[in-house]
C-alpha cells in the first residue's frame, strides 16, 4: 500500500513538471476598461491650432469605439483636418472646426462582452462677449439721489470681470 502512494506521488510530480514546460497560450476574454481619456472641461483657446480628445481602452477582444456629442451619436464629417485614430478612440481637429464641435462628448469602448464609457468631456470654445444693442430711455435724477443701473452681461467663460465706464 505504501508503494502505491509513492508511485502516485512520482506520477503526479512527473505530470506537473512536464505540463509546466509546455507553452500553452492562455487568453481570457475581458470586457473593455477605459485606461486613459481626456478629462474635461477643455477650453479651446484662440492660439490653439488643434485640439485632441483621447480615449484608450483595453479588453479582449480589442474594443471598438464610438462617441456621442450632447447625447447624440457623433458622426465626424469626412474633412481632412479632422483626424481619427482607428487603434483607439482618439480624434483631433483643427481650430477652424472648434466652434462647430463645441459641446459635451462621451467615449464608449465596446466589445462582445460589454461597454465602458468615459465621463462627459465638455469642449468650451469661448467667443468674445458681445453686449446686445440696447436703446435706453434717459433717466434724470437730482444730484445726490440714489440710482440703480442694471446690467445683463452676455455669457462668457469664467472668471469674467465686468467694468462700468462713463463716456
Amino acid at each position: 500500500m505504501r508503494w502505491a502512494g509513492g508511485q502516485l506521488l512520482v506520477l503526479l510530480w512527473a505530470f506537473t513538471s512536464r505540463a509546466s514546460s509546455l507553452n500553452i497560450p492562455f487568453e481570457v476574454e475581458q470586457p473593455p476598461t477605459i485606461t486613459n481619456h481626456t478629462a474635461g472641461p477643455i477650453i479651446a483657446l484662440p492660439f490653439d491650432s488643434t485640439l485632441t480628445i483621447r480615449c484608450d481602452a483595453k479588453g479582449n477582444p480589442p474594443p471598438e469605439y464610438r462617441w456621442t456629442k450632447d447625447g447624440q451619436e457623433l458622426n465626424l464629417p469626412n474633412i481632412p483636418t479632422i483626424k481619427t485614430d482607428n487603434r483607439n478612440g482618439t480624434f483631433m481637429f483643427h481650430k477652424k472646426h472648434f466652434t462647430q464641435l463645441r459641446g459635451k462628448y462621451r467615449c464608449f469602448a465596446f466589445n462582445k462582452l460589454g461597454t465602458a464609457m468615459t465621463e462627459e468631456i465638455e469642449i468650451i470654445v469661448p467667443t468674445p462677449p458681445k453686449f446686445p444693442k440696447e436703446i435706453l430711455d434717459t433717466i434724470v435724477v437730482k444730484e445726490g439721489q440714489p440710482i440703480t443701473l442694471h446690467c445683463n452681461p452676455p455669457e462668457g467663460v469664467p472668471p469674467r470681470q465686468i467694468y462700468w465706464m462713463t463716456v
Side-chain angles (χ1 to χ4, degrees):
M1 187 73 164
R2 199 168 204 196
W3 184 76
Q7 189 177 23
L8 182 61
L9 186 59
V10 168
L11 286 173
L12 184 59
W13 174 80
F15 177 73
T16 56
S17 66
R18 195 173 239 283
S20 66
S21 68
L22 295 175
N23 189 8
I24 302 172
F26 186 70
E27 292 198 20
V28 176
E29 291 188 332
Q30 297 176 1
T33 304
I34 304 290
T35 56
N36 184 19
H37 75 283
T38 302
I42 301 167
I43 299 175
L45 299 173
F47 50 80
D48 292 334
S49 59
T50 61
L51 188 61
T52 301
I53 308 223
R54 178 170 269 85
C55 179
D56 298 314
K58 66 178 182 176
N60 187 22
E64 297 178 48
Y65 298 87
R66 72 178 179 85
W67 285 86
T68 59
K69 177 186 176 214
D70 300 324
Q72 302 293 319
E73 192 75 25
L74 175 65
N75 292 313
L76 289 172
N78 192 12
I79 301 171
T81 55
I82 298 177
K83 296 182 169 89
T84 57
D85 188 336
N86 295 332
R87 297 174 313 233
N88 57 38
T90 299
F91 65 93
M92 179 184 76
F93 49 94
H94 191 268
K95 75 186 296 175
K96 65 181 166 183
H97 302 292
F98 283 1
T99 303
Q100 77 185 66
L101 293 174
R102 79 171 94 200
K104 294 182 181 180
Y105 291 78
R106 190 178 299 261
C107 173
F108 294 84
F110 62 94
N111 65 16
K112 68 180 184 179
L113 298 172
T115 302
M117 68 180 181
T118 63
E119 299 171 5
E120 276 190 341
I121 305 163
E122 184 175 11
I123 297 177
I124 300 168
V125 181
T127 54
K130 294 181 182 175
F131 281 88
K133 297 268 183 194
E134 295 179 314
I135 299 175
L136 301 174
D137 295 330
T138 303
I139 301 172
V140 179
V141 294
K142 292 184 180 179
E143 187 175 337
Q145 293 294 312
I147 185 171
T148 302
L149 300 174
H150 296 280
C151 176
N152 296 317
E155 292 289 320
V157 177
R160 294 185 304 165
Q161 295 183 350
I162 300 172
Y163 298 93
W164 288 93
M165 297 171 45
T166 61
V167 282

